[in-house]
């Protein structure tokens, strides 16, 4: 009997967990399945994978396999240790149960018969090749205006998905999916649509479709999670004396009170005027103050600014002198 390194076939360590073995098998089975693989040896590799997984996923079969030893090379002729088959239970009538020579027995068929779990009437290789394979997961990028993310929307996705004909051939067919985007979607969020990915094979579950949300740049607002930031231009007298100004939000214009002596760069918070949150409520809107001077002055405006310059004791660079004296 020739030795097969089932762990090497699946690309896992001998001490790998059952979950790691399952993940490794699923990844490789999708790659080498005869219906999708272009590898000329894909079918042979798929059968090896199925054989290895059928043995290692079963605790009793794995224990029996591990007791064969790990010092053999792939394809090396070997014989199981003395009385090895007596430690385990084979179907009545199997060669191992009768104690005949292992010389003409395939390792996969031997483990297929262990504990009577072999599928009757199917034939080893054919039964293993018919194992359920989950469908492939897909990802698409969905670009949204900020307003649609705030209120929620529906998008029509025109995709191409692989489809298999009766002969196992693969062709790509168009598929339109109407996806509901809940309100409060944020930039970089990943939404999952169950069962909207690739079709499963041999009764395996359909894959999922993941939507990666990207928000369009907005001319006014900068999103950060569910909060929004807005640049708020103020005239010098509005910042100095205080004022009530109108500012835009995603739900319309609101009044904002600007306190006297407001400095440039100050953040003025409007609670619950940001993006909607999926569970209810909204983020906040932060207005960042900018002091803007008029670019065109009338004669009277110039006179007023000149009078202000003469009367004001404000020195915007006074801290320069303080720093110099401190040094």
């Amino acid at each position: 009997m020739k030795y097969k390194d089932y762990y090497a076939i699946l690309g896992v360590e001998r001490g790998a967990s059952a979950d790691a073995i399952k993940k490794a098998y699923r990844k490789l089975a999708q790659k080498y399945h005869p219906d999708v693989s272009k590898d000329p040896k894909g079918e042979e590799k798929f059968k090896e994978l199925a054989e290895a997984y059928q043995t290692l996923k079963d605790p009793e079969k794995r224990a029996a396999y591990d007791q064969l030893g790990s010092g053999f090379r792939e394809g090396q002729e070997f014989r199981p240790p003395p009385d090895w088959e007596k430690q385990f239970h084979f179907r009545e009538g199997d060669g191992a149960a009768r104690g005949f020579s292992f010389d003409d027995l395939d390792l996969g068929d031997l483990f297929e018969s262990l504990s009577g779990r072999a599928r009757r009437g199917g034939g080893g290789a054919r039964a293993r090749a018919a194992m359920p394979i989950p469908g492939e997961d897909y990802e698409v990028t969905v670009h949204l205006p900020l307003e649609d993310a705030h209120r929620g929307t529906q998008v029509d996705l025109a995709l191409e998905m692989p489809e298999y004909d009766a002969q196992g051939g693969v062709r790509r067919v168009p598929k339109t999916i109407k996806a509901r985007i809940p309100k409060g979607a944020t930039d970089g969020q990943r939404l999952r649509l169950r069962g909207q990915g690739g079709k499963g094979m041999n009764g395996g579950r359909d894959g999922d479709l993941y939507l990666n949300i990207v928000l369009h740049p907005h001319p006014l607002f900068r999103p950060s999670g569910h909060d929004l930031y807005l640049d708020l231009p103020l005239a010098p007298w509005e910042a100095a004396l205080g004022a009530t100004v109108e500012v835009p939000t995603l739900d319309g214009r609101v009044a904002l009170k600007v306190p006297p002596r407001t400095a440039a760069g100050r953040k003025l918070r409007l609670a619950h005027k940001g993006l909607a949150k999926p569970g209810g409520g909204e983020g906040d809107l932060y207005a960042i103050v900018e002091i803007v001077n008029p670019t065109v002055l009338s004669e009277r405006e110039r006179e007023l600014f000149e009078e202000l310059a003469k009367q004001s004791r404000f020195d915007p660079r006074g801290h320069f002198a303080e720093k110099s004296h401190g040094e």
Side-chain angles (χ1 to χ4, degrees):
M1 183 161 51
K2 292 184 178 180
Y3 181 75
K4 297 179 183 179
D5 190 338
Y6 288 154
Y7 292 101
I9 290 173
L10 292 174
V12 297
E13 299 292 334
R14 293 187 71 88
S17 66
D19 186 55
I21 290 173
K22 182 178 181 180
K23 288 182 179 179
Y25 167 70
R26 284 187 171 180
K27 179 179 179 180
L28 293 172
Q30 289 185 12
K31 178 179 179 181
Y32 290 113
H33 193 280
D35 290 345
V36 297
S37 176
K38 296 181 179 179
D39 189 328
K41 295 184 178 181
E43 184 173 0
E44 179 183 345
K45 292 179 180 178
F46 180 79
K47 290 178 180 178
E48 288 183 345
L49 290 167
E51 179 180 314
Y53 180 61
Q54 284 296 317
T55 298
L56 298 185
K57 77 171 185 176
D58 185 295
E60 187 175 1
K61 291 181 181 180
R62 183 177 181 180
Y65 175 78
D66 288 344
Q67 285 197 23
L68 292 178
S70 59
F72 302 105
R73 299 188 306 274
E74 180 71 23
Q76 177 182 350
E77 292 289 345
F78 82 107
R79 294 179 63 86
D83 297 330
W84 172 84
E85 73 278 8
K86 295 181 181 178
Q87 301 177 49
F88 306 99
H89 301 287
F90 291 82
R91 280 203 320 243
E92 184 177 355
D94 284 335
R98 295 195 303 268
F100 74 88
S101 172
F102 290 96
D103 292 344
D104 297 324
L105 192 61
D106 180 79
L107 187 60
D109 291 337
L110 175 64
F111 281 101
E112 187 75 12
S113 67
L114 182 60
S115 301
R117 292 191 176 95
R119 296 180 62 176
R120 298 179 182 272
R126 186 168 65 250
R128 290 191 291 270
M131 292 183 60
I133 303 296
E136 187 174 354
D137 294 338
Y138 291 96
E139 294 192 17
V140 296
T141 299
V142 177
H143 295 268
L144 292 179
L146 197 59
E147 290 80 1
D148 285 349
H150 178 56
R151 300 182 180 93
T153 187
Q154 178 178 287
V155 296
D156 293 335
L157 304 175
L159 308 174
E160 286 191 348
M161 296 287 190
E163 187 176 275
Y164 307 95
D165 57 29
Q167 289 74 38
V170 183
R171 62 190 180 98
R172 302 189 73 84
V173 296
K175 181 178 181 180
T176 300
I177 298 175
K178 295 183 180 296
R180 179 67 187 171
I181 309 297
K183 68 177 182 178
T186 56
D187 194 58
Q189 186 175 0
R190 195 166 183 253
L191 302 177
R192 179 185 184 187
L193 301 182
R194 293 180 180 272
Q196 295 295 330
K199 289 292 184 182
M201 294 176 284
N202 303 329
R205 67 169 182 84
D206 293 342
D208 299 327
L209 179 65
Y210 290 91
L211 310 182
N212 295 316
I213 303 299
V214 175
L215 299 183
H216 289 309
H218 195 278
L220 294 177
F221 303 110
R222 299 184 299 276
S224 176
H226 292 95
D227 293 333
L228 294 176
Y229 289 81
L230 166 74
D231 292 330
L232 177 63
L234 293 178
W237 49 91
E238 291 177 324
L241 302 176
T244 298
V245 299
E246 281 194 346
V247 297
T249 74
L250 291 175
D251 296 312
R253 303 178 73 85
V254 298
L256 171 65
K257 186 174 182 179
V258 178
R261 299 181 298 278
T262 293
R266 181 173 177 178
K267 290 195 300 185
L268 302 177
R269 174 174 171 262
L270 288 89
H272 311 301
K273 294 300 179 182
L275 281 175
K277 296 180 179 180
E282 300 83 17
D284 298 328
L285 172 63
Y286 292 93
I288 312 301
V289 172
E290 293 181 342
I291 308 299
V292 181
N293 286 296
T295 57
V296 179
L297 296 175
S298 67
E299 188 63 30
R300 179 57 180 158
E301 287 173 328
R302 181 180 295 276
E303 291 174 357
L304 290 173
F305 271 110
E306 289 174 348
E307 181 66 22
L308 176 63
K310 292 177 182 177
Q311 297 296 326
S312 177
R313 293 177 294 175
F314 173 60
D315 183 359
R317 293 167 299 281
H319 64 290
F320 286 177
E322 294 175 4
K323 293 291 184 182
S324 298
H325 294 155
E327 294 175 357

